[in-house]
Amino acid sequence: MFKHILIPTDGSKLSEAALHAGLQLAKEQGSEVTVLYVMPDYSALMYGGEGMVAYNPSELRKDAERMADKVLQAVQDIARAEGVNCKTVRTMNFSVHQAIIQQAKDSQCDLICMASHGRKGIAGILLGSETQRVLVNSSVPVLVHRPVV
């Protein structure tokens, strides 16, 4: 039995499917749920053809926060419709997989339920996978939800 499930989301249809699966599992198990949205960290310098590109990091951060809030509000609506209470968290990090693993530890989760595109071969190597990175580096068990093809 799982006491606390972490469900990372990016607001995509794929992660929404994993959200539904994780919420259903939590409902069946009577588990706590935390849903995490990792905002990109724009503090790294950006370079263009002419050198450093001027940008306003505070505006980029505000945009990321607005997007996170929009996604997490939709998560709350979905969870309410499914009859599951959930806590939502947003964090900013350059490394999505590290943020997921850290949140699982900080929230004392005993399961991470997340989506995977299921890419294989060259596509998997070139595009990488945050799910794969979480699987390799997490001490918390990971339930991978893959789309039906």
Side-chain angles (χ1 to χ4, degrees):
M1 186 162 143
F2 300 106
K3 295 178 184 172
H4 195 165
I5 301 172
L6 176 68
I7 308 172
T9 187
D10 61 6
S12 67
K13 289 293 180 191
L14 181 65
S15 67
E16 186 176 325
L19 172 68
H20 283 285
L23 290 173
Q24 183 62 38
L25 178 62
K27 188 174 185 177
E28 292 169 4
Q29 301 265 315
S31 307
E32 266 186 84
V33 176
T34 298
V35 178
L36 172 67
Y37 185 98
V38 181
M39 298 176 294
D41 185 356
Y42 294 113
S43 63
L45 294 176
M46 295 179 170
Y47 290 94
E50 300 295 318
M52 195 165 78
V53 176
Y55 72 102
N56 184 340
S58 66
E59 284 303 312
L60 292 172
R61 183 180 181 104
K62 286 179 190 173
D63 285 345
E65 289 171 349
R66 278 191 288 273
M67 176 56 84
D69 291 344
K70 180 180 175 184
V71 168
L72 293 175
Q73 182 57 56
V75 162
Q76 286 286 3
D77 294 343
I78 291 167
R80 195 174 305 109
E82 301 241 358
V84 178
N85 290 326
C86 77
K87 176 182 164 189
T88 58
V89 176
R90 67 177 186 186
T91 188
M92 183 169 281
N93 197 312
F94 181 73
S95 173
V96 173
H97 77 276
Q98 288 177 355
I100 292 168
I101 293 167
Q102 190 60 53
Q103 187 64 49
K105 289 178 185 175
D106 292 349
S107 297
Q108 298 178 341
C109 295
D110 52 356
L111 180 70
I112 300 170
C113 178
M114 62 188 301
S116 174
H117 288 281
R119 294 185 181 105
K120 294 180 180 163
I122 297 296
I125 292 168
L126 293 177
L127 297 174
S129 167
E130 292 301 333
T131 303
Q132 182 65 31
R133 290 181 188 104
V134 171
L135 282 166
V136 169
N137 293 292
S138 178
S139 60
V140 176
V142 180
L143 175 64
V144 179
H145 184 272
R146 293 196 41 207
V148 177
V149 287

